Amino acid sequence: ALAPRCGWVLPGLEQRLAVPAAVSPATARPYAAAVAKAAKKDAKRSRQEKAKEAAKEKPLPRRRPLMSKPVDDVYLTWLYRRPSYGLEQAVGMLKRFQELDFTHPKQFVYINVFLDMALQKKKKVDPFSSGVALPHRFTDEVNKVLVFTENEQEAEVAREHGAAIVGGVELIKWILEDEIQADFYVAVPAIIPKLIPLRNKLKKKYPSTRRNSLGSDIPRMVQFFRECHEYSVEDESVIKTRIARLDMPTEHIIANLKTIIQDICTFKPSNFDPIVQRLVIRSSTSEGLLLNLDGILPQVEKAEEKEEEDAADEDQQKPVQESVST
């Protein structure tokens, strides 16, 4: 009874039916955002492609080759190669710098050694530390040496030769708790199986034959480690260490430097490139001087080449001798 009669149209209903249904703003928002995001990605990709094409087309800037030697006293250092000096000349320059600057004459002399640690494929020489007996001591400092032994006679010998601490397995607990510390740790072969708990604690200072800290000659080991000069690799490829005092004779400074360099070179096989790539010497108050490596590095390769040449000469002489004898 309440239904409208057939043919009747309510006011405004015809217009509403004629207009298509509009999408609500809440429904349209995700689609619009997705379209805008895709357009933004396309624009960014096109800009990156254009930048790459422009970089390929643009010629690389030509760097001016460095000149070898400046002509004037005042010059731009970045336009010239860094000069390198002979070892004796460089030490003389350091001594001269000290006189001109009126600095302390007994200041230390340092070297920075830049290393090539690469081996075959992706292998490298592990960062290492070592001690070396210098031919000319330049300080009165004495290292603190701990000796592991359970033999009373060996312990007495170690104390007589200057060992700071001597003991057996009872020292393990105190070392693990940092109650006892030393610069170097020496042991006899009989006690080494009992020191395994200290391997991770001492790491590179753990007694071993490679470091000459494991053996039966206690007097020799104690004396060596009390007076030896220790150095280690920093930042994976650099050694920074002092080698002498500036007031020492030039030949003593040179001898100490060559001793340390020769010890460093033993950590890389001679059939690879030399481990020492660059060597800089300086004093406490001077600039660093780049050294010429000729005459400083061990002459291993040249010796091998000479042996090969001698062998080749012998092979060539053999046919001649045979022909003469026939």
Side-chain angles (χ1 to χ4, degrees):
L2 297 177
R5 295 181 180 178
C6 295
W8 286 14
V9 180
L10 295 176
L13 181 60
E14 184 177 2
Q15 295 179 0
R16 293 180 184 179
L17 295 175
V19 178
V23 180
S24 64
T27 308
R29 191 177 297 117
Y31 297 101
V35 173
K37 189 175 181 180
K40 189 176 181 180
K41 283 185 178 180
D42 294 339
K44 184 177 180 181
R45 190 180 297 109
S46 62
R47 287 197 302 269
Q48 291 177 350
E49 292 177 354
K50 290 180 180 179
K52 289 181 180 179
E53 293 177 357
K56 290 181 180 179
E57 295 176 356
K58 185 178 179 180
L60 295 175
R62 296 183 61 185
R63 185 175 179 180
R64 183 177 179 180
L66 297 177
M67 293 177 282
S68 58
K69 189 176 181 180
V71 179
D72 301 323
D73 295 336
V74 180
Y75 57 93
L76 299 175
T77 55
W78 59 82
L79 295 179
Y80 297 87
R81 298 189 187 96
R82 185 176 182 179
S84 61
Y85 305 94
L87 183 52
E88 187 173 353
Q89 179 188 7
V91 175
M93 292 174 66
L94 294 182
K95 291 179 177 289
R96 183 60 177 163
F97 293 160
Q98 181 272 321
E99 295 175 358
L100 294 175
D101 296 337
F102 296 99
T103 55
H104 198 277
K106 293 187 177 181
Q107 58 186 292
F108 289 116
V109 178
Y110 298 83
I111 56 172
N112 293 353
V113 189
F114 299 88
L115 307 176
D116 178 12
M117 308 285 276
L119 295 173
Q120 59 184 358
K121 296 182 180 179
K122 295 184 179 180
K123 295 183 179 180
K124 292 184 178 181
V125 178
D126 295 329
F128 55 87
S129 61
S130 179
V132 58
L134 297 178
H136 306 284
R137 285 177 53 83
F138 59 91
T139 178
D140 295 331
E141 298 175 1
V142 177
N143 300 316
K144 187 177 180 181
V145 181
L146 184 150
V147 178
F148 288 106
T149 180
E150 293 180 324
N151 186 296
E152 286 297 331
Q153 294 181 352
E154 293 177 342
E156 187 62 27
V157 171
R159 294 188 188 96
E160 291 177 356
H161 285 80
I165 303 172
V166 182
V169 293
E170 70 276 3
L171 299 178
I172 295 178
K173 176 183 176 182
W174 303 105
I175 295 174
L176 292 175
E177 295 178 355
D178 293 328
E179 295 291 335
I180 293 178
Q181 294 181 350
D183 297 316
F184 295 96
Y185 298 84
V186 172
V188 294
I191 199 175
I192 198 67
K194 302 178 182 179
L195 302 181
I196 294 177
L198 293 175
R199 185 182 294 274
N200 293 333
K201 178 68 176 179
L202 300 182
K203 296 180 181 179
K204 296 179 181 179
K205 292 187 177 182
Y206 187 79
S208 65
T209 54
R210 175 68 181 83
R211 292 176 54 86
N212 298 319
S213 56
L214 176 61
S216 302
D217 194 347
I218 293 178
R220 181 188 62 81
M221 292 190 297
V222 172
Q223 182 180 1
F224 172 79
F225 286 108
R226 286 183 79 243
E227 301 179 354
C228 76
H229 176 74
E230 186 180 20
Y231 65 88
S232 59
V233 177
E234 304 174 9
D235 300 328
E236 297 186 354
S237 62
V238 182
I239 294 175
K240 300 178 182 179
T241 184
R242 58 187 185 180
I243 62 169
R245 286 195 324 269
L246 194 56
D247 63 331
M248 293 173 59
T250 300
E251 56 271 18
H252 290 185
I253 298 175
I254 293 175
N256 283 359
L257 183 145
K258 288 186 175 181
T259 301
I260 295 175
I261 295 300
Q262 289 176 359
D263 188 71
I264 293 172
C265 291
T266 60
F267 286 88
K268 187 175 182 180
S270 59
N271 56 333
F272 292 95
D273 293 334
I275 189 171
V276 178
Q277 292 295 296
R278 286 192 300 134
L279 179 58
V280 176
I281 188 171
R282 64 175 180 85
S283 66
S284 300
T285 59
S286 75
E287 62 177 292
L289 302 177
L290 182 64
L291 293 177
N292 189 342
L293 296 178
D294 294 340
I296 298 178
L297 300 183
Q299 304 296 320
V300 177
E301 295 182 359
K302 292 184 178 180
E304 292 178 354
E305 292 176 358
K306 186 175 180 180
E307 291 178 359
E308 292 178 358
E309 291 177 358
D310 294 342
D313 293 340
E314 291 179 359
D315 293 340
Q316 292 177 358
Q317 291 175 1
K318 284 181 181 179
V320 177
Q321 293 176 356
E322 291 176 358
S323 62
V324 172
S325 60
T326 53

